[in-house]
Amino acid sequence: MRLTTKGRYAVTAMLDLALHRDRGPNTLADISKRQGISLAYLEQLFSRLRKSGLVYSARGPGGGYSLGRATTDISIADVIRAVDESVDATKCGGQKNCQGELRCLTHDLWEDLSEQISQYLDSISLEDLVRKQAVQQVSARQDTVTIHARAQ
């Protein structure tokens, strides 16, 4: 099982958006600067996040992206699923054909692990992460660095 860059970046960008939601719509350029994620990659991710209803966009001056639901109503699993990411730990992608056309010896173990991971990620909301002191400290540091970079 591997959570790819796509899933990690989507969660990071959504958490950034949640942390800065009180500032109104956030541009992808701002998220890109704060998180060090390429703008082109964010555009791809936010297209999928928008289609899933997790974010919405506002055009024009002062436009950008806002959360489509309350932070308490967006789970980390929602974000990962929105960008077509899988947390499946089985070798066969859940098809039960891991050994030729048959189930392998450890299929149930990996399938159970996948279910545990899914339940865990479903149980954590963006709000849970926003409230973490360590997350707030990192966000404050990133904001300071971004402000200094703009001034130069």
Side-chain angles (χ1 to χ4, degrees):
M1 186 229 38
R2 218 174 116 237
L3 185 61
T4 67
T5 302
K6 181 172 36 174
R8 291 176 190 275
Y9 282 180
V11 170
T12 299
M14 286 292 288
L15 181 55
D16 184 277
L17 195 59
L19 286 160
H20 297 91
R21 67 188 180 273
D22 59 330
R23 298 178 186 176
N26 282 261
T27 67
L28 294 184
D30 285 342
I31 296 170
S32 173
K33 287 175 191 166
R34 286 189 296 259
Q35 301 309 321
I37 302 170
S38 88
L39 186 56
Y41 204 78
L42 284 174
E43 288 169 350
Q44 292 174 21
L45 293 175
F46 272 74
S47 172
R48 292 178 179 189
L49 293 166
R50 189 173 39 78
K51 286 178 186 172
S52 69
L54 295 180
V55 298
Y56 66 91
S57 60
R59 294 179 184 238
Y65 284 88
S66 298
L67 295 173
R69 302 192 307 235
T71 55
T72 54
D73 296 334
I74 300 174
S75 75
I76 301 308
D78 291 337
V79 176
I80 291 169
R81 282 190 292 264
V83 296
D84 298 326
E85 187 72 16
S86 171
V87 291
D88 182 8
T90 64
K91 184 169 80 172
C92 63
Q95 298 299 308
K96 299 179 184 171
N97 60 355
C98 352
Q99 196 170 28
E101 291 302 312
L102 304 171
R103 165 192 243 124
C104 72
L105 188 62
T106 56
H107 180 86
D108 291 341
L109 170 70
W110 304 126
E111 192 170 57
D112 290 347
L113 175 61
S114 298
E115 182 58 31
Q116 290 292 315
I117 293 168
S118 290
Q119 287 175 10
Y120 175 70
L121 295 174
D122 269 324
S123 75
I124 301 170
S125 70
L126 282 178
E127 184 63 25
D128 294 331
L129 296 178
V130 165
R131 290 183 181 189
K132 287 186 175 279
Q133 175 119 19
V135 169
Q136 292 175 15
Q137 289 171 343
V138 170
S139 180
R141 183 196 74 222
Q142 290 172 336
D143 288 347
T144 301
V145 170
T146 303
I147 290 168
H148 290 308
R150 282 187 190 154
Q152 295 176 354

Short mmCIF file of all heavy atoms in Angstrom, two decimals, residues 64-119:
data_model
loop_
_atom_site.label_atom_id
_atom_site.label_comp_id
_atom_site.label_asym_id
_atom_site.label_seq_id
_atom_site.Cartn_x
_atom_site.Cartn_y
_atom_site.Cartn_z
N GLY A 64 -10.97 32.85 -5.79
CA GLY A 64 -10.13 31.74 -5.38
C GLY A 64 -11.00 30.57 -4.96
O GLY A 64 -12.15 30.47 -5.39
N TYR A 65 -10.47 29.74 -4.11
CA TYR A 65 -11.19 28.54 -3.67
C TYR A 65 -11.58 28.65 -2.21
O TYR A 65 -10.85 29.21 -1.39
CB TYR A 65 -10.34 27.29 -3.87
CG TYR A 65 -10.27 26.86 -5.30
CD1 TYR A 65 -9.30 27.35 -6.16
CD2 TYR A 65 -11.20 25.96 -5.81
CE1 TYR A 65 -9.26 26.96 -7.49
CE2 TYR A 65 -11.17 25.56 -7.14
CZ TYR A 65 -10.20 26.07 -7.97
OH TYR A 65 -10.15 25.67 -9.27
N SER A 66 -12.75 28.09 -1.92
CA SER A 66 -13.25 27.98 -0.56
C SER A 66 -13.71 26.54 -0.34
O SER A 66 -14.00 25.83 -1.30
CB SER A 66 -14.43 28.92 -0.33
OG SER A 66 -14.04 30.26 -0.50
N LEU A 67 -13.81 26.16 0.91
CA LEU A 67 -14.29 24.83 1.23
C LEU A 67 -15.77 24.70 0.85
O LEU A 67 -16.54 25.63 1.04
CB LEU A 67 -14.12 24.54 2.72
CG LEU A 67 -12.68 24.47 3.22
CD1 LEU A 67 -12.65 24.34 4.74
CD2 LEU A 67 -11.94 23.31 2.57
N GLY A 68 -16.13 23.55 0.34
CA GLY A 68 -17.50 23.30 -0.08
C GLY A 68 -18.39 22.84 1.06
O GLY A 68 -19.62 22.85 0.93
N ARG A 69 -17.80 22.42 2.15
CA ARG A 69 -18.54 21.99 3.34
C ARG A 69 -17.78 22.45 4.57
O ARG A 69 -16.63 22.88 4.47
CB ARG A 69 -18.65 20.46 3.37
CG ARG A 69 -19.33 19.87 2.15
CD ARG A 69 -19.71 18.42 2.29
NE ARG A 69 -18.66 17.52 2.70
CZ ARG A 69 -18.30 16.42 2.05
NH1 ARG A 69 -18.87 16.11 0.91
NH2 ARG A 69 -17.35 15.64 2.52
N ALA A 70 -18.41 22.33 5.70
CA ALA A 70 -17.75 22.67 6.97
C ALA A 70 -16.56 21.74 7.20
O ALA A 70 -16.58 20.58 6.76
CB ALA A 70 -18.74 22.54 8.12
N THR A 71 -15.55 22.25 7.88
CA THR A 71 -14.36 21.44 8.15
C THR A 71 -14.70 20.19 8.95
O THR A 71 -14.02 19.18 8.82
CB THR A 71 -13.30 22.25 8.91
OG1 THR A 71 -13.88 22.80 10.09
CG2 THR A 71 -12.72 23.35 8.04
N THR A 72 -15.75 20.24 9.74
CA THR A 72 -16.16 19.06 10.52
C THR A 72 -16.79 18.00 9.63
O THR A 72 -16.88 16.84 10.02
CB THR A 72 -17.16 19.45 11.63
OG1 THR A 72 -18.25 20.17 11.03
CG2 THR A 72 -16.50 20.32 12.69
N ASP A 73 -17.23 18.39 8.44
CA ASP A 73 -17.92 17.48 7.52
C ASP A 73 -17.04 16.97 6.38
O ASP A 73 -17.55 16.33 5.46
CB ASP A 73 -19.15 18.17 6.93
CG ASP A 73 -20.19 18.50 7.99
OD1 ASP A 73 -20.23 17.82 9.03
OD2 ASP A 73 -20.95 19.46 7.77
N ILE A 74 -15.75 17.26 6.44
CA ILE A 74 -14.83 16.77 5.41
C ILE A 74 -13.81 15.87 6.09
O ILE A 74 -12.98 16.34 6.89
CB ILE A 74 -14.12 17.93 4.69
CG1 ILE A 74 -15.13 18.84 3.99
CG2 ILE A 74 -13.11 17.37 3.66
CD1 ILE A 74 -14.52 20.09 3.37
N SER A 75 -13.88 14.59 5.79
CA SER A 75 -12.89 13.66 6.35
C SER A 75 -11.68 13.58 5.44
O SER A 75 -11.75 13.91 4.25
CB SER A 75 -13.50 12.27 6.54
OG SER A 75 -13.62 11.60 5.30
N ILE A 76 -10.58 13.14 6.00
CA ILE A 76 -9.37 12.94 5.21
C ILE A 76 -9.63 11.90 4.12
O ILE A 76 -9.17 12.05 2.99
CB ILE A 76 -8.18 12.55 6.12
CG1 ILE A 76 -7.94 13.64 7.18
CG2 ILE A 76 -6.93 12.29 5.29
CD1 ILE A 76 -7.79 15.04 6.65
N ALA A 77 -10.42 10.89 4.45
CA ALA A 77 -10.77 9.88 3.45
C ALA A 77 -11.55 10.50 2.29
O ALA A 77 -11.34 10.11 1.13
CB ALA A 77 -11.57 8.75 4.10
N ASP A 78 -12.43 11.47 2.58
CA ASP A 78 -13.17 12.17 1.51
C ASP A 78 -12.20 12.82 0.52
O ASP A 78 -12.39 12.74 -0.70
CB ASP A 78 -14.06 13.27 2.08
CG ASP A 78 -15.24 12.76 2.89
OD1 ASP A 78 -15.66 11.61 2.69
OD2 ASP A 78 -15.72 13.55 3.75
N VAL A 79 -11.18 13.46 1.05
CA VAL A 79 -10.20 14.16 0.22
C VAL A 79 -9.44 13.16 -0.64
O VAL A 79 -9.28 13.35 -1.85
CB VAL A 79 -9.23 14.99 1.08
CG1 VAL A 79 -8.14 15.63 0.23
CG2 VAL A 79 -9.99 16.04 1.89
N ILE A 80 -8.99 12.09 -0.03
CA ILE A 80 -8.21 11.07 -0.75
C ILE A 80 -9.05 10.41 -1.84
O ILE A 80 -8.60 10.24 -2.97
CB ILE A 80 -7.63 10.05 0.24
CG1 ILE A 80 -6.56 10.74 1.11
CG2 ILE A 80 -7.07 8.83 -0.48
CD1 ILE A 80 -6.10 9.92 2.29
N ARG A 81 -10.30 10.10 -1.52
CA ARG A 81 -11.18 9.49 -2.53
C ARG A 81 -11.47 10.46 -3.67
O ARG A 81 -11.60 10.06 -4.82
CB ARG A 81 -12.49 9.03 -1.88
CG ARG A 81 -12.37 7.72 -1.12
CD ARG A 81 -13.74 7.20 -0.71
NE ARG A 81 -14.38 8.03 0.29
CZ ARG A 81 -14.34 7.80 1.60
NH1 ARG A 81 -13.68 6.76 2.08
NH2 ARG A 81 -14.97 8.60 2.43
N ALA A 82 -11.59 11.75 -3.35
CA ALA A 82 -11.91 12.75 -4.38
C ALA A 82 -10.84 12.83 -5.47
O ALA A 82 -11.15 13.14 -6.61
CB ALA A 82 -12.09 14.13 -3.74
N VAL A 83 -9.61 12.54 -5.12
CA VAL A 83 -8.53 12.60 -6.13
C VAL A 83 -8.19 11.20 -6.65
O VAL A 83 -7.12 10.98 -7.19
CB VAL A 83 -7.28 13.33 -5.59
CG1 VAL A 83 -7.59 14.79 -5.31
CG2 VAL A 83 -6.69 12.64 -4.37
N ASP A 84 -9.14 10.28 -6.47
CA ASP A 84 -9.01 8.92 -6.99
C ASP A 84 -7.81 8.17 -6.43
O ASP A 84 -7.16 7.39 -7.13
CB ASP A 84 -8.93 8.91 -8.53
CG ASP A 84 -10.18 9.47 -9.17
OD1 ASP A 84 -11.28 9.27 -8.60
OD2 ASP A 84 -10.08 10.12 -10.22
N GLU A 85 -7.54 8.42 -5.19
CA GLU A 85 -6.44 7.74 -4.50
C GLU A 85 -7.01 6.51 -3.79
O GLU A 85 -8.15 6.50 -3.36
CB GLU A 85 -5.80 8.70 -3.49
CG GLU A 85 -4.57 8.19 -2.84
CD GLU A 85 -3.38 8.16 -3.79
OE1 GLU A 85 -3.41 8.78 -4.85
OE2 GLU A 85 -2.41 7.49 -3.43
N SER A 86 -6.21 5.50 -3.66
CA SER A 86 -6.63 4.28 -3.00
C SER A 86 -5.71 3.98 -1.82
O SER A 86 -4.51 4.23 -1.89
CB SER A 86 -6.58 3.11 -3.99
OG SER A 86 -6.80 1.90 -3.32
N VAL A 87 -6.28 3.46 -0.78
CA VAL A 87 -5.47 3.01 0.36
C VAL A 87 -5.54 1.48 0.46
O VAL A 87 -5.43 0.91 1.53
CB VAL A 87 -5.91 3.67 1.68
CG1 VAL A 87 -5.57 5.15 1.68
CG2 VAL A 87 -7.37 3.45 1.97
N ASP A 88 -5.70 0.85 -0.68
CA ASP A 88 -5.80 -0.61 -0.74
C ASP A 88 -4.41 -1.22 -0.57
O ASP A 88 -3.50 -0.95 -1.35
CB ASP A 88 -6.40 -1.01 -2.08
CG ASP A 88 -6.57 -2.50 -2.23
OD1 ASP A 88 -6.38 -3.24 -1.25
OD2 ASP A 88 -6.90 -2.93 -3.35
N ALA A 89 -4.25 -2.05 0.46
CA ALA A 89 -2.96 -2.68 0.74
C ALA A 89 -2.80 -4.02 0.05
O ALA A 89 -1.73 -4.63 0.11
CB ALA A 89 -2.80 -2.85 2.26
N THR A 90 -3.85 -4.51 -0.62
CA THR A 90 -3.72 -5.80 -1.28
C THR A 90 -2.91 -5.66 -2.57
O THR A 90 -2.90 -4.61 -3.20
CB THR A 90 -5.10 -6.40 -1.63
OG1 THR A 90 -5.76 -5.57 -2.57
CG2 THR A 90 -5.97 -6.59 -0.39
N LYS A 91 -2.26 -6.72 -2.93
CA LYS A 91 -1.46 -6.73 -4.15
C LYS A 91 -2.34 -6.75 -5.40
O LYS A 91 -1.95 -6.28 -6.46
CB LYS A 91 -0.54 -7.97 -4.12
CG LYS A 91 0.42 -8.06 -5.29
CD LYS A 91 1.47 -9.14 -5.06
CE LYS A 91 0.94 -10.50 -5.37
NZ LYS A 91 1.97 -11.54 -5.35
N CYS A 92 -3.56 -7.26 -5.23
CA CYS A 92 -4.45 -7.47 -6.37
C CYS A 92 -5.49 -6.37 -6.55
O CYS A 92 -6.37 -6.50 -7.40
CB CYS A 92 -5.15 -8.80 -6.21
SG CYS A 92 -6.20 -8.86 -4.74
N GLY A 93 -5.42 -5.33 -5.74
CA GLY A 93 -6.42 -4.27 -5.84
C GLY A 93 -7.80 -4.72 -5.39
O GLY A 93 -8.81 -4.21 -5.85
N GLY A 94 -7.84 -5.70 -4.49
CA GLY A 94 -9.10 -6.19 -3.96
C GLY A 94 -9.82 -7.19 -4.84
O GLY A 94 -10.93 -7.61 -4.54
N GLN A 95 -9.19 -7.61 -5.93
CA GLN A 95 -9.84 -8.51 -6.88
C GLN A 95 -9.79 -9.99 -6.46
O GLN A 95 -10.44 -10.83 -7.06
CB GLN A 95 -9.20 -8.36 -8.27
CG GLN A 95 -9.36 -6.98 -8.85
CD GLN A 95 -10.81 -6.61 -9.04
OE1 GLN A 95 -11.58 -7.35 -9.64
NE2 GLN A 95 -11.20 -5.47 -8.52
N LYS A 96 -8.99 -10.29 -5.45
CA LYS A 96 -8.84 -11.66 -4.93
C LYS A 96 -8.25 -12.61 -5.96
O LYS A 96 -8.54 -13.80 -5.97
CB LYS A 96 -10.17 -12.19 -4.39
CG LYS A 96 -10.71 -11.36 -3.25
CD LYS A 96 -12.03 -11.89 -2.75
CE LYS A 96 -12.55 -10.94 -1.67
NZ LYS A 96 -13.89 -11.24 -1.27
N ASN A 97 -7.43 -12.06 -6.84
CA ASN A 97 -6.73 -12.88 -7.84
C ASN A 97 -5.22 -12.67 -7.71
O ASN A 97 -4.51 -12.58 -8.69
CB ASN A 97 -7.22 -12.54 -9.25
CG ASN A 97 -6.98 -11.10 -9.61
OD1 ASN A 97 -6.53 -10.30 -8.80
ND2 ASN A 97 -7.29 -10.76 -10.85
N CYS A 98 -4.77 -12.59 -6.46
CA CYS A 98 -3.38 -12.24 -6.16
C CYS A 98 -2.38 -13.33 -6.57
O CYS A 98 -1.21 -13.03 -6.79
CB CYS A 98 -3.19 -11.94 -4.68
SG CYS A 98 -4.64 -11.85 -3.67
N GLN A 99 -2.82 -14.53 -6.63
CA GLN A 99 -1.94 -15.64 -6.98
C GLN A 99 -2.52 -16.34 -8.20
O GLN A 99 -3.32 -17.25 -8.08
CB GLN A 99 -1.82 -16.60 -5.80
CG GLN A 99 -0.67 -17.55 -5.90
CD GLN A 99 -0.48 -18.30 -4.60
OE1 GLN A 99 -1.42 -18.50 -3.84
NE2 GLN A 99 0.75 -18.71 -4.34
N GLY A 100 -2.11 -15.84 -9.35
CA GLY A 100 -2.75 -16.32 -10.57
C GLY A 100 -4.17 -15.77 -10.59
O GLY A 100 -4.39 -14.59 -10.53
N GLU A 101 -5.14 -16.64 -10.62
CA GLU A 101 -6.54 -16.23 -10.56
C GLU A 101 -7.16 -16.52 -9.19
O GLU A 101 -8.38 -16.44 -9.03
CB GLU A 101 -7.35 -16.93 -11.66
CG GLU A 101 -7.01 -16.47 -13.07
CD GLU A 101 -7.21 -14.96 -13.23
OE1 GLU A 101 -8.27 -14.45 -12.83
OE2 GLU A 101 -6.30 -14.30 -13.77
N LEU A 102 -6.33 -16.86 -8.23
CA LEU A 102 -6.82 -17.23 -6.90
C LEU A 102 -6.34 -16.28 -5.83
O LEU A 102 -5.36 -15.57 -6.00
CB LEU A 102 -6.36 -18.67 -6.56
CG LEU A 102 -6.76 -19.75 -7.57
CD1 LEU A 102 -6.06 -21.06 -7.25
CD2 LEU A 102 -8.27 -19.92 -7.58
N ARG A 103 -7.00 -16.32 -4.72
CA ARG A 103 -6.65 -15.52 -3.55
C ARG A 103 -5.33 -16.04 -2.98
O ARG A 103 -5.10 -17.23 -2.89
CB ARG A 103 -7.79 -15.68 -2.53
CG ARG A 103 -7.47 -15.24 -1.17
CD ARG A 103 -8.57 -15.71 -0.20
NE ARG A 103 -9.19 -14.56 0.35
CZ ARG A 103 -10.49 -14.28 0.31
NH1 ARG A 103 -11.32 -15.11 -0.23
NH2 ARG A 103 -10.94 -13.19 0.83
N CYS A 104 -4.46 -15.12 -2.57
CA CYS A 104 -3.18 -15.52 -1.98
C CYS A 104 -3.35 -15.80 -0.49
O CYS A 104 -4.38 -15.50 0.11
CB CYS A 104 -2.10 -14.46 -2.21
SG CYS A 104 -2.30 -12.96 -1.24
N LEU A 105 -2.32 -16.33 0.10
CA LEU A 105 -2.34 -16.75 1.50
C LEU A 105 -2.61 -15.58 2.45
O LEU A 105 -3.30 -15.74 3.45
CB LEU A 105 -0.99 -17.40 1.82
CG LEU A 105 -0.82 -18.08 3.15
CD1 LEU A 105 -1.79 -19.25 3.27
CD2 LEU A 105 0.62 -18.58 3.30
N THR A 106 -2.12 -14.41 2.13
CA THR A 106 -2.23 -13.27 3.05
C THR A 106 -3.25 -12.22 2.61
O THR A 106 -3.30 -11.13 3.17
CB THR A 106 -0.86 -12.59 3.22
OG1 THR A 106 -0.37 -12.21 1.92
CG2 THR A 106 0.13 -13.50 3.92
N HIS A 107 -4.09 -12.55 1.64
CA HIS A 107 -5.06 -11.59 1.12
C HIS A 107 -5.92 -10.98 2.22
O HIS A 107 -6.09 -9.76 2.28
CB HIS A 107 -5.96 -12.23 0.05
CG HIS A 107 -6.94 -11.26 -0.50
ND1 HIS A 107 -6.64 -10.42 -1.55
CD2 HIS A 107 -8.21 -10.96 -0.12
CE1 HIS A 107 -7.68 -9.65 -1.80
NE2 HIS A 107 -8.65 -9.96 -0.95
N ASP A 108 -6.46 -11.80 3.09
CA ASP A 108 -7.36 -11.30 4.14
C ASP A 108 -6.64 -10.34 5.08
O ASP A 108 -7.22 -9.35 5.53
CB ASP A 108 -7.97 -12.45 4.94
CG ASP A 108 -8.97 -13.26 4.12
OD1 ASP A 108 -9.47 -12.75 3.09
OD2 ASP A 108 -9.26 -14.40 4.51
N LEU A 109 -5.38 -10.60 5.37
CA LEU A 109 -4.60 -9.71 6.23
C LEU A 109 -4.53 -8.32 5.60
O LEU A 109 -4.82 -7.32 6.26
CB LEU A 109 -3.19 -10.27 6.43
CG LEU A 109 -2.19 -9.33 7.09
CD1 LEU A 109 -2.55 -9.13 8.56
CD2 LEU A 109 -0.78 -9.86 6.93
N TRP A 110 -4.15 -8.25 4.32
CA TRP A 110 -4.00 -6.96 3.66
C TRP A 110 -5.35 -6.28 3.43
O TRP A 110 -5.46 -5.05 3.50
CB TRP A 110 -3.23 -7.12 2.35
CG TRP A 110 -1.90 -7.78 2.56
CD1 TRP A 110 -1.43 -8.89 1.93
CD2 TRP A 110 -0.89 -7.41 3.50
NE1 TRP A 110 -0.19 -9.23 2.41
CE2 TRP A 110 0.16 -8.33 3.37
CE3 TRP A 110 -0.77 -6.39 4.44
CZ2 TRP A 110 1.33 -8.27 4.14
CZ3 TRP A 110 0.38 -6.32 5.22
CH2 TRP A 110 1.41 -7.25 5.06
N GLU A 111 -6.37 -7.07 3.20
CA GLU A 111 -7.71 -6.50 3.04
C GLU A 111 -8.19 -5.90 4.37
O GLU A 111 -8.77 -4.81 4.39
CB GLU A 111 -8.67 -7.60 2.58
CG GLU A 111 -10.01 -7.09 2.12
CD GLU A 111 -10.80 -8.20 1.46
OE1 GLU A 111 -11.04 -9.24 2.10
OE2 GLU A 111 -11.19 -8.00 0.30
N ASP A 112 -7.93 -6.59 5.48
CA ASP A 112 -8.29 -6.05 6.80
C ASP A 112 -7.50 -4.78 7.11
O ASP A 112 -8.04 -3.83 7.68
CB ASP A 112 -8.04 -7.09 7.89
CG ASP A 112 -9.02 -8.26 7.84
OD1 ASP A 112 -10.04 -8.16 7.12
OD2 ASP A 112 -8.75 -9.28 8.52
N LEU A 113 -6.21 -4.75 6.75
CA LEU A 113 -5.41 -3.55 6.95
C LEU A 113 -5.99 -2.38 6.16
O LEU A 113 -6.12 -1.27 6.68
CB LEU A 113 -3.96 -3.79 6.54
CG LEU A 113 -3.04 -2.56 6.59
CD1 LEU A 113 -2.94 -2.00 8.02
CD2 LEU A 113 -1.66 -2.91 6.05
N SER A 114 -6.36 -2.62 4.93
CA SER A 114 -6.97 -1.58 4.10
C SER A 114 -8.23 -1.02 4.75
O SER A 114 -8.45 0.20 4.76
CB SER A 114 -7.33 -2.13 2.71
OG SER A 114 -6.18 -2.57 2.04
N GLU A 115 -9.03 -1.90 5.31
CA GLU A 115 -10.27 -1.47 5.97
C GLU A 115 -9.96 -0.63 7.22
O GLU A 115 -10.61 0.38 7.46
CB GLU A 115 -11.12 -2.69 6.35
CG GLU A 115 -12.43 -2.33 7.00
CD GLU A 115 -13.33 -1.43 6.15
OE1 GLU A 115 -13.29 -1.52 4.91
OE2 GLU A 115 -14.07 -0.62 6.75
N GLN A 116 -8.94 -1.03 7.98
CA GLN A 116 -8.54 -0.26 9.17
C GLN A 116 -8.06 1.14 8.78
O GLN A 116 -8.41 2.13 9.43
CB GLN A 116 -7.44 -0.99 9.93
CG GLN A 116 -7.88 -2.26 10.62
CD GLN A 116 -8.83 -1.99 11.76
OE1 GLN A 116 -8.61 -1.09 12.56
NE2 GLN A 116 -9.89 -2.76 11.82
N ILE A 117 -7.28 1.21 7.73
CA ILE A 117 -6.78 2.51 7.25
C ILE A 117 -7.94 3.38 6.80
O ILE A 117 -8.02 4.56 7.16
CB ILE A 117 -5.75 2.32 6.12
CG1 ILE A 117 -4.49 1.66 6.66
CG2 ILE A 117 -5.43 3.66 5.45
CD1 ILE A 117 -3.54 1.18 5.57
N SER A 118 -8.86 2.82 6.05
CA SER A 118 -10.03 3.58 5.59
C SER A 118 -10.86 4.09 6.75
O SER A 118 -11.28 5.26 6.76
CB SER A 118 -10.90 2.71 4.68
OG SER A 118 -10.26 2.48 3.46
N GLN A 119 -11.09 3.24 7.74
CA GLN A 119 -11.86 3.66 8.91
C GLN A 119 -11.14 4.78 9.66
O GLN A 119 -11.77 5.74 10.12
CB GLN A 119 -12.12 2.48 9.84
CG GLN A 119 -13.14 1.50 9.31
CD GLN A 119 -13.29 0.29 10.19
OE1 GLN A 119 -12.78 0.21 11.31
NE2 GLN A 119 -14.02 -0.70 9.69
#
